[in-house]
Amino acid sequence: NAGVTQTPKFQVLKTGQSMTLQCAQDMNHNSMYWYRQDPGMGLRLIYYSASEGTTDKGEVPNGYNVSRLNKREFSLRLESAAPSQTSVYFCASSENRGLSGNTIYFGEGSWLTVV
Amino acid sequence: AQSVTQPDIHITVSEGASLELRCNYSYGATPYLFWYVQSPGQGLQLLLKYFSGDTLVQGIKGFEAEFKRSQSSFNLRKPSVHWSDAAEYFCAVGTSGTYKYIFGTGTRLKVLA
């Protein structure tokens, strides 16, 4: 029962470095999401992919890029990391096929610190 | 644009007391509404969801929520809180078509023994 798997779980970056957060789901879901969680801010949507081959900006896309590599995988890239990107990142997925398929399932999170 | 407001940042209740967590949303059409719970250091777990039909929905762990269209609210309730319910609770709204889900800022629940 893997569900949504994201790597790495922890990462420390220096300002200006780049890195990619990987996410994969094994539930054959159509839609995938990247959120960041900061104290007092809740979860904010960075980017999402409603279906394979499409990506759209969320609430806080600046400084990030995404790739929906295939139906299973959705990666998040920080091209030039900044301290403001220190956060916990959650990948999520949803079937989004009819009313009953609209539950979002989350990964366990990736803790990213930019120094 | 859709939005979610959870007006209470922190709530403290005694074990055995009743609980109500507030959630208000903004969305033009009928939304999909969710409550999630997050324990420290963990991901988010779905408590319950509303898509259509009966406006009172039952979830896991004894939680329920009521959708009130006239008040744009989806408040979470539990009649008797257990110490293990201490966690952070998030309300979320989703839309058909765009499949975009927006979360509130969360309410952190503390339970006193």
Side-chain angles (χ1 to χ4, degrees):
Chain A
N1 280 358
V4 179
T5 303
Q6 50 183 113
T7 57
K9 194 168 180 71
F10 299 98
Q11 183 72 49
V12 178
L13 284 178
K14 294 182 179 179
T15 298
Q17 286 185 320
S18 62
M19 78 158 296
T20 300
L21 297 174
Q22 307 285 355
C23 176
Q25 51 91 9
D26 62 2
M27 296 174 281
N28 199 36
H29 284 173
N30 292 313
S31 302
M32 297 186 73
Y33 307 83
W34 276 105
Y35 290 88
R36 61 177 288 174
Q37 183 177 26
D38 304 289
M41 306 290 285
L43 281 90
R44 293 181 291 171
L45 182 63
I46 304 171
Y47 271 94
Y48 67 107
S49 171
S51 61
E52 186 179 359
T54 69
T55 60
D56 287 284
K57 295 179 180 179
E59 303 167 87
V60 288
N62 291 345
Y64 305 96
N65 286 301
V66 291
S67 295
R68 184 74 182 268
L69 304 170
N70 47 55
K71 192 171 185 179
R72 289 187 64 247
E73 299 173 286
F74 188 42
S75 63
L76 178 72
R77 183 162 178 82
L78 287 70
E79 290 291 351
S80 179
S84 60
Q85 294 178 302
T86 294
S87 187
V88 183
Y89 292 86
F90 286 97
C91 179
S93 70
S94 177
E95 185 178 15
N96 284 333
R97 191 190 303 276
L99 284 179
S100 64
N102 290 29
T103 299
I104 303 183
Y105 296 87
F106 284 85
E108 294 188 344
S110 296
W111 275 254
L112 177 64
T113 301
V114 183
V115 298
Chain B
Q2 62 199 104
S3 66
V4 178
T5 301
Q6 293 181 247
D8 303 306
I9 299 174
H10 298 280
I11 283 186
T12 300
V13 299
S14 298
E15 191 171 19
S18 63
L19 173 69
E20 183 170 28
L21 302 183
R22 296 183 290 166
C23 173
N24 294 97
Y25 69 90
S26 173
Y27 180 58
T30 299
Y32 305 143
L33 294 162
F34 307 82
W35 275 100
Y36 282 81
V37 61
Q38 184 184 32
S39 297
Q42 302 296 314
L44 280 79
Q45 180 185 22
L46 178 71
L47 282 177
L48 47 79
K49 58 189 178 184
Y50 171 79
F51 293 154
S52 65
D54 192 347
T55 57
L56 183 64
V57 293
Q58 303 295 322
I60 63 171
K61 304 184 181 186
F63 285 92
E64 67 178 26
E66 186 171 12
F67 170 57
K68 293 186 177 180
R69 184 189 303 275
S70 61
Q71 298 176 20
S72 297
S73 69
F74 189 57
N75 294 348
L76 182 71
R77 301 193 294 248
K78 187 170 185 179
S80 178
V81 170
H82 188 263
W83 65 267
S84 61
D85 293 324
E88 191 156 21
Y89 292 80
F90 292 93
C91 181
V93 60
T95 65
S96 62
T98 63
Y99 300 121
K100 184 177 172 182
Y101 297 84
I102 300 298
F103 283 75
T105 52
T107 298
R108 186 171 297 277
L109 174 65
K110 182 177 179 179
V111 180
L112 300 176

